[in-house]
Amino acid sequence: MSLTPKPSTQAGLVEWASQFPLNENIEITWGYPYHFGDFLKYHSGPALCGLSLGFKLSQCLLEHGLGTIPKTGVQIRGAFGGKGMRDAFSYLFQPDHETGFTLDPETEVSVECSKASSGIYAFEVTCPEAQFHLGIKPGVVRDEFLEAVHLRNAGKLPPADVRVLQWEMCQRVLPAPSNEICNIRTL
């Protein structure tokens, strides 16, 4: 895989990100052709990795549910609750006072999951008609990245060094099929 330089502006980043559709079949996406660029515009923050992983989890969920996942009434409980991850789910599933994302570090799922900077990428999604366990596959989030985040958080690594690794992961994750990035199981 050849890496490209990160676009220098938010508009350039959104343009680059718009090449990645959530799903080609808009019946699965409630009649709207979502792209990763839409998620970036909603998020407008620095958590590019979490947002791209949340995008892939959402993509996997929708592909696995084959058009049965509703846009409302979805509850997500997760062991990792970074802002990018939360925003990916919130953008897509329109939370209300009873639904949305709940951080629960004790969330246990029946699929293998990758380590996160704090906890693991494990999520339980409850829809009115079904329940799913989701996780980012082990190895997708590389140890080098996790080490860099911990060093940055301890003030021992400049944030710019972590941003380079975030951009690398984003470019690696977004074009991959969701089944290469995510594990899912219907309960």
Side-chain angles (χ1 to χ4, degrees):
M1 173 182 82
S2 68
L3 299 178
T4 61
K6 184 176 179 183
S8 59
T9 65
Q10 182 68 14
L13 184 59
V14 168
E15 182 181 337
W16 171 85
S18 293
Q19 69 181 304
F20 303 106
L22 187 59
N23 196 289
E24 295 292 339
N25 178 356
I26 63 169
E27 289 179 26
I28 290 174
T29 59
W30 314 284
Y32 187 81
Y34 291 98
H35 292 81
F36 186 63
D38 300 316
F39 285 66
L40 271 175
K41 286 187 256 183
Y42 176 80
H43 173 62
S44 70
L48 192 58
C49 280
L51 190 67
S52 61
L53 293 172
F55 178 84
K56 295 310 281 191
L57 287 167
S58 298
Q59 186 178 63
C60 181
L61 178 65
L62 293 175
E63 289 169 357
H64 191 78
L66 296 175
T68 64
I69 309 298
K71 190 154 181 60
T72 59
V74 176
Q75 296 175 323
I76 301 158
R77 189 167 53 96
F80 177 77
K83 181 157 177 43
M85 187 69 67
R86 290 189 324 263
D87 280 356
F89 290 133
S90 294
Y91 174 63
L92 202 56
F93 294 114
Q94 298 180 350
D96 58 30
H97 68 282
E98 294 179 10
T99 64
F101 183 85
T102 301
L103 174 63
D104 179 0
E106 303 301 316
T107 301
E108 291 186 25
V109 297
S110 57
V111 296
E112 284 189 293
C113 302
S114 179
K115 292 182 281 185
S117 56
S118 59
I120 60 171
Y121 290 105
F123 303 91
E124 183 175 87
V125 178
T126 303
C127 305
E129 304 296 323
Q131 189 174 30
F132 305 89
H133 281 175
L134 283 166
I136 298 297
K137 287 187 174 190
V140 169
V141 180
R142 296 177 177 159
D143 289 341
E144 170 192 20
F145 175 77
L146 295 172
E147 271 182 49
V149 170
H150 290 297
L151 289 172
R152 178 203 61 198
N153 292 348
K156 297 177 181 176
L157 187 71
D161 291 357
V162 175
R163 283 193 291 275
V164 168
L165 294 173
Q166 288 174 323
W167 179 239
E168 179 276 327
M169 188 185 331
C170 190
Q171 288 189 80
R172 182 171 44 85
V173 164
L174 285 173
S178 69
N179 65 353
E180 291 179 11
I181 304 298
C182 308
N183 285 321
I184 187 167
R185 181 173 178 211
T186 304
L187 303 179

